[in-house]
Amino acid sequence: LRAFDHRVLDLSARQIVEAAERTGAVVAGPVPMPTRKKRFCVIRSPHIDKDSREHFELQLHKRLVDILEPTARTLEALSRLNVPGGVDITIKT
């Protein structure tokens, strides 16, 4: 799971874990992965105020949820989940 907002990410991770546990699958996680921080320095004005700059930062939060022994019911329950906007889910088998 990846998102820019950690609260939304934790909420969707909790939903996935609860849905998987209801179907009888064994779940390990969510494990917080290191946060990636991208920093940008932008000149405020191209003319006289060249020394005046603005700094921006993007933080990409990640969580790892490992579902062990998934069943067909588990996959069906996970496909029906409503995940909040801004959360990217990558499934690896």
Side-chain angles (χ1 to χ4, degrees), residues 3 7 9 11 13 16-17 27 41-42 44-45 48 53 61 66 69 73 75 78 81 83 89 91:
R7 292 178 296 262
L9 184 64
L11 176 71
I16 290 173
V17 168
V27 179
C41 182
V42 180
R44 288 182 197 223
S45 173
I48 285 182
R53 297 168 189 256
H61 302 276
D66 197 8
E69 303 170 10
R73 285 184 51 211
L75 297 176
L78 291 177
L81 274 179
V83 180
I89 298 176
I91 300 173

Side-chain angles (χ1 to χ4, degrees), residues 76-92:
E76 182 182 331
L78 291 177
S79 66
R80 284 189 279 123
L81 274 179
N82 287 331
V83 180
V87 177
D88 179 39
I89 298 176
T90 304
I91 300 173
K92 295 182 181 179

Side-chain angles (χ1 to χ4, degrees), residues 26-65:
V26 179
V27 179
V31 178
M33 303 300 285
T35 302
R36 280 209 140 149
K37 295 181 181 181
K38 289 185 179 181
R39 293 188 177 105
F40 302 98
C41 182
V42 180
I43 298 174
R44 288 182 197 223
S45 173
H47 302 295
I48 285 182
D49 301 322
K50 201 164 199 157
D51 294 333
S52 176
R53 297 168 189 256
E54 283 186 283
H55 300 277
F56 299 99
E57 180 176 276
L58 277 175
Q59 293 185 355
L60 183 64
H61 302 276
K62 295 181 185 179
R63 302 289 184 267
L64 177 69
V65 178

